[in-house]
């Protein structure tokens, strides 16, 4: 019988969003980036400060209002000076996405079973993306591939639990498609980017179901479906996979 190791989950979808938005604060570094330099002098910054400023601008106002010139003005420097910190706009946006993904909770919990890990990490991904919906939409608009750091961490997290590679490959493929579709729709709705045309087929259960398909309970049910499918695919393996108690045995974080 498995020990009762369960991750604490938020009770309400909108509670997650509200609490998360309350957590959004501006770092002292980002505030300092807006300070004026002396005439004729450009400020000396770190790459991290430049990324922080870009992140803050896109997070607050959306990618449509962002430009390298606007970023340079915000930092009190010439536009070309930005490229001394990042080689291209594409790389800057990549680092902005990475900054958001650094907030994901994908660290191992000793003794945690893989089902609880899946719920915990996936709800963290949902929460973070809805905390920063403009960053999520920017990723869609630019079609940038996501940084691999998070994927690597999740891979080693489940590998340390003992999940076979062939099972992980199938589970991850289904899970990624589910997360992408769910979060993209939820972010658009949060930003009120969806518009409804004149549709004669509106009404009935199909419309009600569609309108409620981004509720937190639906999200959790989707993860449970993936867990059930994973168990079926892995049969007759008992799927008794969990994180080792001893952190020294973890490959996670070392990437070995």
């Amino acid at each position: 019988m498995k020990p009762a190791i369960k991750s604490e989950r938020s009770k309400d979808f909108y509670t997650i969003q509200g609490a998360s938005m309350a957590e959004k604060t501006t770092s002292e570094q980002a505030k300092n980036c807006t300070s004026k330099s002396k005439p004729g002098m450009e400020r000396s910054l770190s790459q991290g400060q430049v990324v922080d400023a870009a992140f803050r601008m896109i997070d607050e106002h959306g990618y449509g209002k962002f430009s390298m010139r606007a970023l340079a003005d915000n930092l009190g420097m010439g536009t070309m000076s930005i490229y001394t910190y990042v080689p291209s706009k594409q790389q800057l946006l990549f680092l902005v996405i990475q900054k958001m993904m650094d907030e994901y909770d994908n660290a191992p919990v000793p003794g945690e079973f893989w089902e609880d890990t899946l719920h915990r990490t996936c709800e963290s991904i949902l929460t973070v993306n809805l905390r920063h919906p403009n960053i999520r939409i920017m990723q869609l608009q630019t079609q940038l591939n996501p940084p691999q750091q998070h994927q690597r961490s999740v891979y080693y997290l489940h590998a340390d639990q003992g999940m076979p590679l062939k099972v992980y490959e199938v589970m991850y493929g289904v899970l990624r498609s589910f997360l992408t579709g769910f979060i993209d729709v939820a972010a658009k709705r949060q930003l009120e980017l969806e518009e409804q045309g004149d549709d004669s087929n509106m009404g009935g259960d199909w419309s009600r179901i569609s309108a409620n398909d981004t509720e937190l309970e639906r999200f959790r049910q989707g993860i449970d479906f993936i867990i059930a499918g994973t168990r079926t695919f892995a049969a007759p393996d008992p799927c008794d996979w969990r994180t080792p108690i001893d952190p020294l045995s973890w490959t996670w974080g070392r990437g070995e």
Side-chain angles (χ1 to χ4, degrees):
M1 183 175 180
K2 296 181 180 180
I5 300 175
K6 293 287 181 181
S7 302
E8 182 179 353
R9 302 181 191 164
S10 303
K11 296 181 180 179
D12 182 78
F13 179 64
Y14 297 100
T15 301
I16 283 182
Q17 297 182 57
S20 298
M21 292 298 292
E23 293 173 12
K24 187 201 297 183
T25 58
T26 304
S27 67
E28 286 302 316
Q29 286 185 334
K31 289 180 180 178
N32 292 337
C33 285
T34 61
S35 63
K36 296 292 185 180
S37 304
K38 293 182 179 179
M41 296 179 60
E42 290 197 346
R43 304 181 65 241
S44 177
L45 304 173
S46 67
Q47 184 187 76
Q49 288 175 304
V50 173
V51 173
D52 284 350
F55 183 98
R56 178 167 45 84
M57 292 174 67
I58 298 171
D59 195 32
E60 293 178 1
H61 306 295
Y63 180 62
K65 296 182 179 180
F66 177 79
S67 68
M68 297 298 269
R69 175 176 293 181
L71 175 62
D73 290 344
N74 182 272
L75 294 172
M77 62 175 60
T79 303
M80 295 308 296
S81 297
I82 297 293
Y83 296 100
T84 64
Y85 299 97
V86 289
S88 64
K89 182 179 181 180
Q90 183 180 41
Q91 182 63 19
L92 174 64
L93 298 179
F94 175 88
L95 294 173
V96 166
I97 296 171
Q98 178 67 71
K99 178 177 172 63
M100 181 183 73
M101 296 177 75
D102 285 345
E103 298 180 24
Y104 292 172
D105 177 10
N106 57 31
V109 174
E112 184 178 59
F113 283 94
W114 68 280
E115 303 100 324
D116 297 318
T117 299
L118 213 59
H119 272 289
R120 174 173 61 86
T121 57
C122 289
E123 287 193 26
S124 170
I125 293 169
L126 174 65
T127 300
V128 170
N129 277 272
L130 295 184
R131 183 185 305 159
H132 307 293
N134 277 320
I135 305 296
R136 179 70 182 193
I137 297 302
M138 179 269 285
Q139 186 177 349
L140 279 175
Q141 292 172 326
T142 59
Q143 294 297 300
L144 280 169
N145 285 326
Q148 291 295 299
Q149 180 176 322
H150 169 68
Q151 281 86 338
R152 186 186 70 175
S153 295
V154 170
Y155 168 83
Y156 283 115
L157 175 56
H158 288 292
D160 285 343
Q161 291 179 328
M163 182 180 291
L165 177 59
K166 68 175 184 177
V167 175
Y168 176 80
E169 287 177 344
V170 174
M171 184 192 75
Y172 176 81
V174 176
L175 186 64
R176 182 176 182 182
S177 296
F178 168 72
L179 289 176
T180 298
F182 192 102
I183 294 172
D184 288 348
V185 172
K188 289 176 184 177
R189 288 182 181 173
Q190 183 168 313
L191 294 172
E192 299 182 344
L193 298 179
E194 289 188 333
E195 296 184 6
Q196 180 63 52
D198 184 11
D199 189 348
S200 61
N201 289 306
M202 285 294 292
D205 283 344
W206 55 90
S207 295
R208 174 185 58 80
I209 293 170
S210 177
N212 297 331
D213 62 3
T214 56
E215 292 181 350
L216 179 59
E217 187 58 30
R218 292 288 182 268
F219 182 82
R220 290 172 174 166
Q221 289 170 347
I223 300 300
D224 284 333
F225 264 78
I226 292 172
I227 289 172
T230 301
R231 285 186 168 278
T232 299
F233 179 79
D237 191 312
C239 304
D240 192 24
W241 310 312
R242 62 176 177 174
T243 302
I245 298 296
D246 183 8
L248 295 179
S249 68
W250 298 343
T251 306
W252 184 92
R254 299 199 302 268
E256 297 175 357

